[in-house]
Structures are given as C-alpha cells and as structure tokens.
Amino acid sequence: MIQETLNKIREEALKRINESKNSESLNEVRVAVLGKKGSLTAVLKGMKDVAAEERPKVGAMVNEVRSEIESLMENARVKLETLAMNARLENEKIDVTLPAKGIKMGHRHPNQIALEEMERIFTGLGYEVVEGPEVERDYYNFEALNIPADHPAKDEQDTFYINGDILLRTQTSGTQVHEMEKGRLPIRMISPGRVFRSDTVDATHSPCFHQVEGLLIDEEVSFSDLKGTLAEFAKELFGEDTKVKFRPHHFPFTEPSAEMDVSCFKCGGKGCRFCKGEGWIEILGCGMVHPHVLEMSKIDPLKYKGFAFGVGLERIALLKYEIDDMRLLYENDERFLEQF
Ligand code: DAH
C-alpha cells in the first residue's frame, strides 16, 4: 500500500522534474514533494499509523525515494543552469573582428582655427600669449590708454558699464597696460579674448566678439619693425604673395597710428566682389605706443619704445574662410561647423 503511494509520488516527481523548464518550476516540485505540506512529507507524517515493526522498512523506502528525487532534482538544476548560462553567452557574444563604430568628432570653430593660426605665427616670432580680464576698471580700458573721461573716443564705443568705474572691456588693449605694469621688459605678447560693445546683431556686428591684441616694447623699436612684423604675419596668414599697405589713422594710445590693409587674396589686388573692387582689405589697427601711455605705466619713454596692434578675430575668420555673415559664427549650427 505504502509502496504503491511511494511509486506514484516518485513517478509524478520524475515527470515534473523532467518537464521543468527553469529553476522556478523545479522549486515548485521541491515544495510539492519535499516541502512541509509535500506529498512525501505526508507519508512520513503517516508513519505513526504504520505497525512498529514495519517502520524501519517503510522509513528506509521513503528515504530512498527522497534521496533519489533530491539527486535528480540537483542534476536537473545543474542542467538548467548550464542551459541558461549558454543562452546568456550566446546572447552576449561579441564579434571582435567587426569594424569599430566611427566616433563622431567635434569640429574646431573657425574662430578657434584662426586664433591657433595667429598664436602659431606670433609664438614663432618669440611672442608670449597672455590673457587679460573681461571685467575691467575704467582706468585699464580707457584712461591708461590715453582716453580721458572727456575724450570723444569714449563715446565711439558703446560701453556696458557695471557701475561708474567697472565695465565689460570694449577692447583687449587694456591687457597692454596690465603687462606694462608688471615692469618686466622687454615685452613681446599677444593677448586674445572676448570684448563687449552694446551693438545690435547684424551681419558685421555683435555685442560680444573677439580681438587679439599685440604689444612689443624694447629699447630700439621703430615703425619699420612694426611694418616688418605685421607684413610677415600677413604673409603667413594669407599666403606668401600677400602685400600690405599702411594708411594713417588715429588711435589715442598710439602715435603715429595706422590701419593695415592686405592685398586681396582672392583676386591678388585687381579688384573683385570679395574686396568690393578695392584690391585691398583692411585687417587691423596699429601704431607706435604713445609716450604718454608708456609713462602712465611707469616705463621711461626716452629709453623704451614700442608698437601695438589690434586685430578682430572674427574678421580674420570670416575673411580666411570666405564667410559672409558674422552671425554664422555664433549660431553653432552643426551643418555650418561641419565644414571646418
Ligand atoms: N583697440 C582698437 C579697437 O578696438 C584696436 C587697436 C588699434 C589696438 C591700434 C591696438 C592698436 O593695439 O595699436 O579698435
């Protein structure tokens, strides 16, 4: 009678173990057969009704079935785990011989390319690259550059004032003063950076743009050093055949002052749409540092001379890459930037 029950339990258990597809269903079998309320446990609980002399025999039979089921269950568990592991490995398989996915690289902004080019040229000529503050005192932006409070040049540049004395610099020229004040001579520096003017945005204006300032101070410096240096710069930047022309101009902090034009690198100077028929393109302002500017920064104008120049970085980028609208430089449209 018990033998029969045990056989049924055994068969049922074997069938369910074989049908188990995962460890959960295997566990259900364990609970149903060996658990507290399991079928085999029920047989053990019924032992009290078995005659005392029969008990060892029945007990041995139950234990035999129990250990058989346990070992089959263990085998099934190992088999299922191996299957699951293999399926996972298959799923995670990597073909290391496949070509790698291309990484999408960013692009250098035309301003950045133009700046790096200028830095390369001037560091090659022995210049140092220094940076000055964007938030500046009136003194550095105007006064120390020979632009006193009532000077008309102060109205020419629409300045963003933070208060009566502090402003957003309208030009990088203030860096000249900071460098001169350090009292380390001679000086050969260029200083790139952002400048601010309250202009309305259009194809050639922006309230925030970039300049690169240049300053050289030494004992024997003449206007021909300025011309030679800037002519060399123009050739490196726009090509060996580039010619330069200096037109007299006025800046309060230089005397004499000039604007420099380069021969149009599109038409070679014959005149075209690019140079508006002129054959020449204006690219920077420059001059010999005004003695008064030297004096204010505690440099003896009888001993030292210097030249300075200021270049609009956007202007160089627009010219070099033939971009006809400055706004393109600030919109950062990928379709535009991708071309550089
Ligand atoms: N700071 C001038 C401007 O914003 C540019 C300039 C002209 C800078 C002549 C100079 C210079 O250093 O010598 O228009």
Side-chain angles (χ1 to χ4, degrees):
M1 187 35 199
I2 283 200
Q3 178 73 63
E4 228 170 77
T5 314
L6 285 176
N7 274 347
K8 254 176 80 189
I9 291 173
R10 186 179 163 275
E11 234 124 83
E12 175 69 15
L14 292 195
K15 189 165 160 263
R16 287 185 64 183
I17 289 170
N18 282 336
E19 282 169 358
S20 286
K21 295 261 182 305
N22 51 43
S23 57
E24 282 81 43
S25 51
L26 206 55
N27 214 30
E28 279 165 22
V29 183
R30 183 188 308 280
V31 172
V33 181
L34 308 173
K36 260 195 218 155
K37 291 181 181 154
S39 47
L40 201 61
T41 316
V43 176
L44 278 177
K45 278 181 185 158
M47 287 286 270
K48 60 182 186 309
D49 302 329
V50 174
E53 65 275 18
E54 292 283 306
R55 276 182 205 159
K57 212 178 115 201
V58 175
M61 271 155 53
V62 173
N63 278 340
E64 200 184 311
V65 173
R66 183 190 182 88
S67 57
E68 189 190 357
I69 291 173
E70 272 175 350
S71 88
L72 285 172
M73 214 130 56
E74 178 58 16
N75 289 348
R77 191 188 60 78
V78 171
K79 211 167 104 191
L80 284 174
E81 251 172 33
T82 313
L83 281 175
M85 174 66 86
N86 286 346
R88 219 182 88 196
L89 287 178
E90 185 61 31
N91 210 12
E92 291 176 356
K93 198 155 90 179
I94 299 170
D95 182 351
V96 292
T97 65
L98 281 177
K101 275 189 197 157
I103 297 168
K104 210 173 163 208
M105 295 283 275
H107 296 265
R108 274 149 83 233
H109 191 279
N111 270 356
Q112 184 62 23
I113 305 175
L115 175 59
E116 283 172 16
E117 183 72 1
M118 289 177 65
E119 289 183 344
R120 185 189 63 76
I121 296 168
F122 279 104
T123 51
L125 292 169
Y127 285 64
E128 207 185 338
V129 180
V130 303
E131 277 183 35
E134 291 175 353
V135 179
E136 190 60 285
R137 302 257 317 277
D138 181 286
Y139 176 78
Y140 290 96
N141 197 72
F142 293 123
E143 209 179 312
L145 290 164
N146 212 19
I147 311 172
D150 56 353
H151 197 286
K154 234 177 143 167
D155 305 328
E156 278 170 25
Q157 297 169 345
D158 267 348
T159 310
F160 288 115
Y161 280 95
I162 288 168
N163 61 33
D165 184 40
I166 299 174
L167 46 82
L168 298 184
R169 65 176 175 190
T170 60
Q171 49 186 359
T172 45
S173 304
T175 317
Q176 291 187 28
V177 182
H178 288 291
E179 279 310 293
M180 289 189 289
E181 279 186 349
K182 287 181 188 164
R184 285 197 308 250
L185 294 164
I187 296 171
R188 268 195 209 92
M189 70 98 186
I190 59 165
S191 182
R194 284 198 291 188
V195 300
F196 307 85
R197 291 182 197 179
S198 89
D199 276 329
T200 321
V201 176
D202 65 23
T204 53
H205 292 87
S206 163
C208 168
F209 58 102
H210 300 77
Q211 289 185 334
V212 181
E213 194 73 20
L215 177 70
L216 180 140
I217 293 185
D218 209 336
E219 290 190 19
E220 306 280 339
V221 182
S222 68
F223 200 87
S224 52
D225 295 314
L226 162 83
K227 284 171 78 175
T229 303
L230 294 179
E232 187 55 35
F233 162 62
K235 280 187 182 159
E236 286 248 12
L237 196 61
F238 295 112
E240 196 47 40
D241 298 330
T242 308
K243 292 192 228 11
V244 293
K245 182 170 86 174
F246 291 83
R247 284 178 289 99
H249 200 78
H250 174 262
F251 297 106
F253 36 91
T254 45
E255 180 58 37
S257 305
E259 278 187 334
M260 185 178 91
D261 296 348
V262 293
S263 54
C264 177
F265 43 85
K266 259 302 212 193
C267 63
K270 287 198 272 312
C272 66
R273 194 189 66 86
F274 200 66
C275 56
K276 301 191 181 72
E278 298 281 326
W280 296 94
I281 300 170
E282 180 215 317
I283 66 156
L284 56 80
C286 58
M288 300 305 289
V289 180
H290 198 295
H292 190 216
V293 170
L294 292 174
E295 243 166 15
M296 278 188 282
S297 290
K298 316 256 176 324
I299 294 177
D300 180 0
L302 295 176
K303 189 168 177 207
Y304 287 98
K305 306 254 172 304
F307 64 74
F309 51 92
V311 191
L313 183 61
E314 278 81 356
R315 185 156 174 75
I316 299 294
L318 296 179
L319 284 172
K320 220 171 146 49
Y321 303 108
E322 298 178 28
I323 303 162
D324 54 15
D325 192 328
M326 193 176 182
R327 284 167 288 199
L328 288 165
L329 294 176
Y330 304 120
E331 282 162 1
N332 289 333
D333 187 324
E334 268 193 58
R335 291 165 299 179
F336 169 73
L337 293 177
E338 257 166 21
Q339 300 171 47
F340 301 94

